[in-house]
Amino acid sequence: MDAYEFINFHLVPGLLLGSIYAIGAIGVTLVFGILRFAHLAHGDLITLGAFLALGAVTLGGLDPWLALPVAMALAAAVAVGIDASCYAYLRERPRILTVMASLGVALMVRSVVQMGWGTDPTTYTTGILRPDEYFGFILLRDRELATFAAVIVLVAALEAFLRLTRWGRAMRAMSDNPDLARLCGVDNRQVVRLTWIIVGMLCAAAGFLLGINTEVWAMMGWWVLLPVFAAAILGGVGRIDGAVLGGLVIGLAEELSVLVLPAQYKSATAFVILLLVLLFRPRGILKGKVL
Amino acid sequence: MNAALLELRGVRGGYGETDILDGIDLHVDAGEIVVIVGPNGAGKSSAMKAVFGLLTLRAGRIVFDGEDITGWAPDRIVRRGICFVPQVDNVFRDMSVHENLEMGAFLRRGDLSAAFERVYALFPDLKAKRRALAGNLSGGQRQMVAMGRALMLEPKLLLLDEPTAGLSPRYMEQIFQITRDVRDAGVAILLVEQHAKQALAFCDRGYVLTTGANRCDGTGAELLADPEVVQLFLGGQG
Amino acid sequence: MDAFGLANYALFILVLVGIYGLMALGLNVQWGLGGLFNAGIAGFFAIGAYASAILTSPALPGRVGGFELPVAAGWVGAMALAALLAWPIGRVCLRLRSDYLAIATIGVAEIIRLAVRSEDWLTGGVRGISGIPRPFGELPYFASQLAYLALVAAAVLLAYVLVERQLRSPWGRMMRAIRDNEAAAAAMGKHVESRRLEAFVLGSALMGLAGALFVHFNRSITPEAIDPMIVTFLVWIMLILGGSGNNRGALLGALVIWLIWSLSELLTDRLPTEIAIQAKYARMFLIGLALQLVLRFRPEGILPEERRTHGRDQDDS
């Protein structure tokens, strides 16, 4: 295999998938860091985000990329609503019960999607898109370029928010030391609501980006749940930079795994990496919390 | 008429069912350092936590700056002008020194540069290290960050829970000096200390608590000279 | 449906109640006793199912098999293999927080589902394995159903007695102590990790056995037969509704939920096809909702755990 093949059929797809995983992993790591539980409904929230965008395209006649902000806003509202109805009352009880509730939420969200849109895969647009050639040897489709751009913008915006704004600092403070944050006068409930707004937006983005690069179907989110969690844990739970790093590594690993494993076992790669991380370095590469 | 800045009268309470404090009285005047000492389990930290609203009170009153704050929630007390520095987990380890101070001023809007100047003037070491992550600092420096964080709201009263716990003698002396500087800057201080001898030496007044009740009180010098106090527990303490 | 058909259907339901009851008992050991969150129950069920199928079915070209071992050997093999799968997963995850075990078990179930579909040489791939021997299968239909039900009931009874004994033993008390206050238990020197591993492996073995019982009842197994989300989720709601920490609760939950599930399927099957498909997802939605409602309004379940519950007892003090 030469460099051309390696770059265009393994490296680029790996980075593309990895950057989408990164967006999902950031959401997971935010919930881990601030709400302190494994959000098992994350995958299905990603699915919902993809379908909300689809709805905006089919019902509203919007261009897919314009449907994205609409989907993000709707998903943010849904996430806040789910928390208020399904997780809020469990906050004083052992965390594992919230994990259990999130598994139930996953099933409910998926069922709603299946009832609303059925189970057949679909896409945002029709037709085959030919890739363009860049620098003489890299093949990229417009939508792939746009995906990379979107991921960079999202991550940069989030980092700016967390570092430069008052509420962003409050979120980091709550993740770091919730008791001390409360002593500083941070209102826990507002931070939680803000977290779910951001998580909802990230899930919609991940779902849309995944859908526009592959296809949109009811199980798409559940299938990426494992890689997204593996990415968050690999990078270091509670760290945004960890989630990005972990996402890219997992994405690359999956695309490269076809060189050694049969293609259908791509998703097994994430699982193996997860087990190895839990075995040898549970805090992850960048040393997050172990919860 | 001299109204004390902070006054506790007959305070009884604890966490949950049991009472740890059995009716204590103490007061802090503006501009002084008051220390609470006593053997382990005497209720020293609990007395402080009672002021900050972290204890379930069953009897008694707490009056601050002329207002009855009995039963107030901590965040309301913070707004009123009392800031609390816990003994452990008192900094945001993954945030820089400067960000820690910013969090201290979370409840304030508007221009914070005056507050920053004040705190950095008190802790010049911190100014040099303001971009460092708080978790990477030494114990003494972390304690400074913790106190600086609490001072950002420019409180009238500062509560310190065993500020020298686990620190070397050099840092201990530094903390005491800083505490005096804070008092000189116009903040009254109430602190709980395990190192009774040193604490009584540097404070203005002290209270000795045993088993949740007042035992004796007086100026630092008076207590140090009191044979009962010395015999009680100063002998064994560092 | 005539009386005979009704009776047959009732037997069919009861056999499945028994199979699910076995899984609920297994989950009770893991969750009710050990506080361990197994979100991949279907994986252990599947491994037991396929293990027993492979060990007992006749040979087929292109597929490993033809051992044609007696059914009992298949069942023992099922339990052993499920236990063997649980052990390394437990070793890696149990010293970390329960969230991680949830994710890892989700992964396990997914990998098994993938492997079952792709490894034709072992599992028959999408076609699956057929010709699995059924104990008492030669009897007339009704008698054969009855006999199998008796077999399942015996297995459930044995499992119940075993788990109940474990629950009341010093081991059980220790498990509950660890579950309720891990720090204190560890300070007392109890080997927290080993105890948890035991609970995890035992529970998984029971789930494997349930898989084996299922497969011999059906005489065949295909990947479609086990919908991981449904199987895993149904067992969870069965235990939570019935009463986690209580073995009778586990079995009661299995009965109640399976009845609701089957009867609702009967109803929705009568609807026109387009709506029937919707109805299937509606049923799944309602199961998810049921979990929320139980967690919110009756988290201890119908039959609460018998010893000291978390928090206070109802009378005086």
Coordinates of all heavy atoms in Angstrom, one line a residue, chain B residues 29 65 83 180 199 222:
Chain B
D29 N -14.9 41.1 67.4 CA -15.1 42.5 67.1 C -14.4 42.8 65.8 O -13.5 42.1 65.4 CB -14.5 43.3 68.3 CG -15.3 43.2 69.6 OD1 -16.5 43.1 69.5 OD2 -14.6 43.1 70.6
D65 N -23.0 41.8 62.2 CA -23.1 43.2 61.7 C -24.5 43.7 61.9 O -25.1 44.3 61.1 CB -22.7 43.2 60.2 CG -22.3 44.6 59.8 OD1 -22.0 45.4 60.7 OD2 -22.3 44.9 58.6
C83 N -16.7 35.2 54.7 CA -16.2 34.2 53.8 C -15.4 33.1 54.5 O -14.9 33.4 55.6 CB -15.2 34.9 52.8 SG -16.1 35.7 51.4
R180 N -2.2 38.2 60.1 CA -2.1 39.5 60.7 C -2.2 40.6 59.7 O -2.9 41.6 59.9 CB -0.8 39.6 61.4 CG -0.8 39.0 62.8 CD 0.4 39.5 63.6 NE 1.7 38.8 63.1 CZ 2.2 37.8 63.7 NH1 1.7 37.2 64.7 NH2 3.3 37.2 63.1
A199 N -1.0 29.6 68.0 CA -2.2 30.4 67.7 C -2.5 31.4 68.8 O -2.8 32.6 68.5 CB -3.4 29.4 67.5
E222 N -3.4 36.1 78.1 CA -4.0 35.6 79.3 C -4.2 34.1 79.3 O -3.9 33.4 80.2 CB -5.4 36.2 79.4 CG -5.5 37.7 79.9 CD -6.8 38.3 79.8 OE1 -7.8 37.5 79.4 OE2 -7.0 39.5 80.0

